[in-house]
Amino acid sequence: MTLRAQPESPESTLCGLGLRRPLLDELLAQPAGRIGFLELAPDNWIGVGGKRFEALQQLRADHPIYCHGLSLSLGGPEPFDHDYLRGLRGFLDELQTPLYSEHLSYCSDEGQLYDLMPIPFTDEAVRHVAARISEVQDALGRRLAVENISYYAAPFQAMAEIDFINAVLAEADCDLLLDVNNIHVNSINHGYDALGFLQALPAGRVRGIHVAGHFVEAVDLRIDSHGAAVIDPVWNLLAAAYDHCGLQPTLLERDFNFPPIAELLDELDTIARLQHEHLQRVATRRTVTAHARCA
Ligand SMILES: [Fe+2]
């Protein structure tokens, strides 16, 4: 494997947690700096007032707020609601969010489907979703990072998933939010090599990483639940992701079945350890290369 040697920015070493309502009190109780950033779904926070708004104001004083959308339906057939996009742009500007991401999926078709559905892997769909990503980037005045999703029932596939993702990224000229748990889950459910898939993604477009736990339904079926601790194969894939694309702000996704906050903080410490080990590997390679030049 090639280790990506690049100058690491302070932001690239951030380890974050999802801003979820059941965690609000415990997040507010953490000392500044314990959690590197928080990520929220704008869909759940735009227009919110009262105590939740006050809590968000308190938290944003100590944490960069990353935003991860749920309902844009990038691959969907219906025109975007530009009133919503204007409101979203104002929300992202107000929070000065370092990264806005959405799922490479669709979730509406003559109404909300309440799920993130996989887009058919076809040339026509590449052109369709890339044009819509460009429309969103223009409307929001910022680059969009799209996330590789987990999926179960595979739609029509004229090309491989990896080719579909890479074609969309190139045609839309957008960024990638790399979810290593989704790669692991899909690799088991759809029978492919997770590491090979990861290494075929364009390292230069990655702007953030998600890591999460999942539910083991059967030996050949994993459910992307975000409701359990991260398992070793996913940690190993995160380490490989750092070697592939350098350090990136990394979010631990936990959406239900919340353990004591100390367990989530332990998982953030694991992320920090993997980042440190990556930097050690890069430093060792540089030393070996320098010695080889002098020999
Ligand atoms: Fe994710």
Side-chain angles (χ1 to χ4, degrees), residues 109-136:
D109 183 11
E110 297 183 354
Q112 181 59 245
L113 298 173
Y114 300 105
D115 205 352
L116 298 168
M117 308 295 291
I119 301 167
F121 302 152
T122 67
D123 287 324
E124 184 183 9
V126 168
R127 290 190 295 274
H128 174 73
V129 70
R132 284 168 64 86
I133 291 169
S134 299
E135 184 181 345
V136 169

Side-chain angles (χ1 to χ4, degrees), residues 4 6 11-14 16 37 39 66-68 98-101 144-148 175-181 183 198 201-211 238 241-242 245-253 271 275:
R4 185 144 185 251
Q6 64 175 23
E11 295 77 24
S12 69
T13 61
L14 292 179
F37 70 97
E39 185 198 82
Y66 286 50
C67 288
H68 186 49
L99 181 69
Y100 174 60
S101 57
L144 176 65
V146 296
E147 182 187 32
N148 56 297
D175 296 325
L176 174 65
L177 175 65
L178 173 58
D179 190 313
V180 291
N181 180 58
I183 293 177
L198 169 72
L201 289 167
R205 291 192 184 274
V206 179
R207 293 292 175 269
I209 295 179
H210 277 181
V211 63
L238 178 60
Y242 291 144
C245 59
L247 295 187
Q248 303 290 336
T250 303
L251 179 88
L252 174 66
E253 290 190 291
I271 295 172
Q275 292 183 336

Side-chain angles (χ1 to χ4, degrees), residues 33 39 46 48 92 114 118 140 159 166 168-169 172 206 209-210 213 239:
E39 185 198 82
I46 290 175
V48 160
L92 301 177
Y114 300 105
L140 299 181
M159 63 178 79
N166 286 341
V168 169
L169 294 172
V206 179
I209 295 179
H210 277 181

Side-chain angles (χ1 to χ4, degrees), residues 18-100:
L19 178 46
R20 305 292 179 256
R21 203 182 306 191
L23 294 178
L24 261 184
D25 290 341
E26 287 173 302
L27 294 175
L28 286 164
Q30 297 307 309
R34 181 62 181 94
I35 299 171
F37 70 97
L38 298 170
E39 185 198 82
L40 59 77
D43 321 61
N44 296 333
W45 288 86
I46 290 175
V48 160
K51 286 191 173 167
R52 279 179 69 206
F53 176 78
E54 287 170 22
L56 177 57
Q57 295 307 316
Q58 263 181 274
L59 288 167
R60 63 176 287 213
D62 290 330
H63 307 85
I65 305 292
Y66 286 50
C67 288
H68 186 49
L70 292 172
S71 63
L72 268 193
S73 197
L74 288 173
E78 296 170 342
F80 290 117
D81 177 346
H82 277 264
D83 286 339
Y84 175 76
L85 289 176
R86 267 188 292 279
L88 176 58
R89 180 172 184 162
F91 182 80
L92 301 177
D93 288 347
E94 168 68 20
L95 287 177
Q96 298 180 301
T97 189
L99 181 69
Y100 174 60

